Amino acid sequence: MVWSAMTTMRGAPAAALLVLVALAAGARAEDPYHFFEWKVTYGTKTIMGTPQKVILINDQFPGPTINCTSNNNIIVNVFNMLDQPLLFHWHGIQQRKNSWQDGLPGTMCPIQPNTNFTYHWQPKDQIGTFYYFPSIGMQRAAGGYGLITVHSRDLIPVPFDNPADDFPVLVSDWYTKDHTVLAKNLDAGKGIGRPAGLVINGKNEKDASNPPMYSVEAGKTYRFRVCNVGIKASFNVRMQKHSLLLVEMEGSHTVQNTYDSLDLHIGQCLSFLVTADQAPGDYLLVASTRFIKEVSTITAVMRYKGSSTPPPSQLPEAPSGWAWSINQWRSFRWNLTASAARPNPQGSYHYGQINITRTIKLSTSKGKVDGKERYALNGVSHVDPETPLKLAEYFNATDGVFQYNLIGDVPPAAGTPIKMAPNVISAEFRTFIEVVFENPEKSIDTFHINGYAFFAAGMGPGTWSPASRKTYNLLDTVSRHTIQVYPRSWTAVMLTFDNAGMWNIRSNLWERHYLGEQLYVSVVSPARSLRDEYNMPETSLRCGKVVGLPMPPSYLPA
């Protein structure tokens, strides 16, 4: 929906909003603006045979696709008609110099019920497939998510021909319990259990196949943008009698290898091309859970134009075991010859030649705190304070809100009691840092670092040691933002902390995230320059300790 500048729920003068639009139109004439108005409400959907409450955006589930081009300005005016505070996070969008728009409780005050807030962000120097979701509590389990597609500028060549069409594939595990019930269960020390099943683009098995979800013409090639937008389960995706040509992964063009099927872990996105080169008919896109004892499967029909032939009755088999998945990950390679957005700073794709200045090893753990289970990183289970961390830092009001570096760069001794507190570490601006995730649990985990793309250099069983670097891919691992950590295994990533702001490092398993398996990293530019970070927008919401405080001095001109 196009945003009308005259519409507001806070009673802001219409003239002020028109000024905002005028400034937006003239500030960066080379970067177009896209305006959206989102009305966020509850609705009732019968997805797994039981009517339940779902979060809708403009009466849609999934929400509207944000379809844009690299560096476009995205203006989203969010009207919160829920009975709870609300924030949207733009998963994988780096928010260069702009953690003010990141949409997490550590960076922004929530949008209160019956009020609105306008986000303004750019996919700066980015292309690819991403998504958004509501980030407070367990709201993510109720929907409210949608696709973000960022196209290359017209003058930038793409390493494959334009597809005949571009298809969304948002796959999610699904719970029939209300998201508030899931949160109460976690607060009471219970788990959320296994999901009831899978959905594709918000539809169950029956609705995803009738009418067909995807329509194709023989001989043409189509792009499928697939994201795992769930909260618990990894899945494998495949297509009856068709090969998948991998072309993009979380904002990076990949070497174009062909696969029978692809594993996606929570929070990951990729694109593959499918050529309609089979006999005209119906064929099934298949997604099934991985690494869960009771497998859930969902299919969606891809129909050739004019087809009246039903899909084959036999589904292609899913792979089994961890080794297969690890070996597939090792086959993913970055397309170093493609002309596309590169990680900042330019040249950092030679990541294997940059000296590591610091290694941070983050080990997950779980344990009882006051009789209730919590998850932690290096012994601290994160708790969101009333005042967002970024605002407390910006206003120099951190006393009583959080302390920096409660954890060290190595995990504490085994058996150390878990401490509950806001978990914030500091990183020196523009340093090249190695982050090692260790997962001692029996189930898979995935981790995301906000504000950045990183190089997932290596992974392996057991615990990490400096000798593990001998196994790293230091040439062409894919630059991405989310990576899996297999059970009782480690994964190492490398990145330059050149994006000033307050950034979340988190588990994407939302049960673990909710129970504290996350932290924030503060990256401060000592120059206090607008070249490195934007000032806090005057339209930003305020809450907690910073209400009524005078605005800090502006950062210096670039």
Side-chain angles (χ1 to χ4, degrees):
M1 182 181 295
V2 176
W3 175 37
S4 167
M6 301 298 292
T7 304
T8 180
M9 295 173 65
R10 291 183 177 275
L17 288 174
L18 289 172
V19 168
L20 173 64
V21 175
L23 289 173
R28 294 185 179 90
E30 73 279 9
D31 296 326
Y33 278 70
H34 298 276
F35 297 88
F36 301 87
E37 179 185 277
W38 287 1
K39 183 179 179 182
V40 184
T41 62
Y42 289 123
T44 301
K45 296 278 186 179
T46 302
I47 296 176
M48 293 290 174
T50 303
Q52 64 183 115
K53 187 167 61 177
V54 176
I55 294 177
L56 307 176
I57 302 174
N58 296 344
D59 295 325
Q60 301 175 45
F61 170 58
T65 294
I66 295 177
N67 190 29
C68 61
T69 298
S70 176
N71 291 9
N72 285 176
N73 290 274
I74 310 301
I75 311 294
V76 186
N77 192 10
V78 176
F79 291 80
N80 179 14
M81 305 301 293
L82 307 181
D83 57 1
Q84 292 182 323
L86 175 70
L87 283 172
F88 280 103
H89 173 63
W90 322 96
H91 185 76
I93 301 298
Q94 293 177 21
Q95 306 290 357
R96 302 295 303 179
K97 307 192 297 183
N98 197 26
S99 62
W100 309 111
Q101 305 292 320
D102 203 33
L104 287 170
T107 57
M108 299 180 67
C109 297
I111 308 167
Q112 295 299 325
N114 297 314
T115 66
N116 75 309
F117 174 77
T118 302
Y119 288 92
H120 178 189
W121 51 267
Q122 289 179 280
K124 190 70 175 174
D125 296 325
Q126 289 187 265
I127 55 95
T129 305
F130 311 94
Y131 67 94
Y132 60 84
F133 63 86
S135 64
I136 292 180
M138 293 298 291
Q139 290 174 354
R140 179 173 174 173
Y145 54 73
L147 189 67
I148 304 173
T149 62
V150 186
H151 302 276
S152 295
R153 294 184 177 189
D154 289 341
L155 296 178
I156 303 297
V158 174
F160 50 89
D161 293 335
N162 286 334
D165 208 342
D166 202 304
F167 295 138
V169 189
L170 297 177
V171 181
S172 174
D173 47 30
W174 193 257
Y175 288 77
T176 55
K177 292 181 180 177
D178 186 274
H179 71 93
T180 59
V181 174
L182 295 178
K184 288 177 182 178
N185 286 346
L186 293 174
D187 292 338
K190 304 174 184 177
I192 61 173
R194 292 176 179 170
L198 294 178
V199 298
I200 293 182
N201 296 340
K203 298 182 182 297
N204 59 26
E205 174 78 15
K206 179 181 177 182
D207 293 340
S209 299
N210 187 24
M213 186 168 283
Y214 308 110
S215 297
V216 302
E217 293 185 34
K220 294 186 177 181
T221 298
Y222 298 83
R223 181 174 184 168
F224 289 77
R225 296 180 183 264
V226 190
C227 291
N228 185 336
V229 297
I231 64 172
K232 183 101 172 183
S234 299
F235 69 82
N236 177 271
V237 64
R238 50 209 184 271
M239 179 82 73
Q240 283 180 324
K241 298 185 179 298
H242 291 76
S243 297
L244 316 179
L245 183 66
L246 182 66
V247 295
E248 177 258 333
M249 182 176 291
E250 295 171 23
S252 293
H253 294 306
T254 63
V255 172
Q256 294 177 17
N257 293 326
T258 299
Y259 296 89
D260 293 328
S261 69
L262 289 159
D263 274 358
L264 273 90
H265 310 282
I266 300 172
Q268 295 181 345
C269 294
L270 54 78
S271 294
F272 56 75
L273 301 181
V274 172
T275 299
D277 56 4
Q278 298 298 305
D282 286 2
Y283 297 90
L284 295 177
L285 174 74
V286 184
S288 59
T289 54
R290 292 275 273 139
F291 321 127
I292 293 179
K293 187 175 181 180
E294 296 178 5
V295 176
S296 294
T297 300
I298 188 168
T299 63
V301 169
M302 181 182 77
R303 174 168 292 173
Y304 280 60
K305 185 178 180 180
S307 167
S308 59
T309 304
S313 58
Q314 184 174 357
L315 298 182
E317 290 187 6
S320 62
W322 304 102
W324 186 96
S325 189
I326 293 173
N327 286 334
Q328 182 177 80
W329 170 79
R330 290 180 177 138
S331 75
F332 298 148
R333 292 290 187 268
W334 200 20
N335 187 341
L336 299 179
T337 64
S339 297
R342 294 287 188 189
N344 287 318
Q346 293 297 320
S348 67
Y349 50 91
H350 298 298
Y351 64 96
Q353 302 172 25
I354 304 175
N355 291 328
I356 298 168
T357 60
R358 178 182 177 188
T359 297
I360 304 172
K361 186 159 71 168
L362 299 173
S363 180
T364 66
S365 61
K366 66 177 179 179
K368 301 288 185 180
V369 179
D370 296 330
K372 298 176 182 178
E373 188 163 85
R374 296 287 300 185
Y375 283 86
L377 290 172
N378 286 8
V380 173
S381 182
H382 177 77
V383 178
D384 287 315
E386 181 182 359
T387 305
L389 305 167
K390 178 60 179 173
L391 271 64
E393 180 179 73
Y394 187 71
F395 283 88
N396 195 27
T398 59
D399 288 349
V401 178
F402 72 92
Q403 298 178 5
Y404 294 100
N405 302 313
L406 292 178
I407 64 172
D409 287 356
V410 295
T416 301
I418 289 176
K419 177 180 180 180
M420 290 177 59
N423 196 359
V424 184
I425 64 174
S426 56
E428 187 178 350
F429 187 54
R430 291 182 177 165
T431 52
F432 190 68
I433 294 178
E434 176 184 49
V435 181
V436 179
F437 298 104
E438 286 189 345
N439 176 22
E441 305 298 325
K442 297 179 181 179
S443 57
I444 194 170
D445 207 341
T446 77
F447 281 92
H448 174 82
I449 300 180
N450 281 15
Y452 295 92
F454 53 68
F455 300 98
M459 61 176 62
T463 57
W464 179 92
S465 72
S468 303
R469 295 188 182 118
K470 296 177 182 178
T471 68
Y472 285 6
N473 174 358
L474 296 179
L475 177 64
D476 60 354
T477 191
V478 179
S479 172
R480 59 191 307 177
H481 56 69
T482 301
I483 194 65
Q484 69 270 23
V485 190
Y486 292 99
R488 295 171 177 168
S489 299
W490 59 268
T491 294
V493 307
M494 306 162 80
L495 68 157
T496 301
F497 276 89
D498 65 322
N499 191 13
M502 183 74 71
W503 306 107
N504 191 233
I505 300 178
R506 65 172 177 272
S507 169
N508 286 305
L509 276 72
W510 219 243
E511 178 179 17
R512 295 188 182 188
H513 174 272
Y514 184 92
L515 293 176
E517 194 177 304
Q518 58 170 312
L519 58 78
Y520 284 82
V521 56
S522 169
V523 183
V524 176
S525 165
R528 288 188 58 84
S529 170
L530 290 172
R531 174 198 62 199
D532 302 326
E533 185 175 17
Y534 299 135
N535 289 314
M536 187 181 89
E538 292 187 2
T539 56
S540 293
L541 302 176
R542 295 208 200 179
C543 53
K545 288 184 64 175
V546 303
V547 173
L549 294 182
M551 188 70 80
S554 171
Y555 290 142
L556 300 175

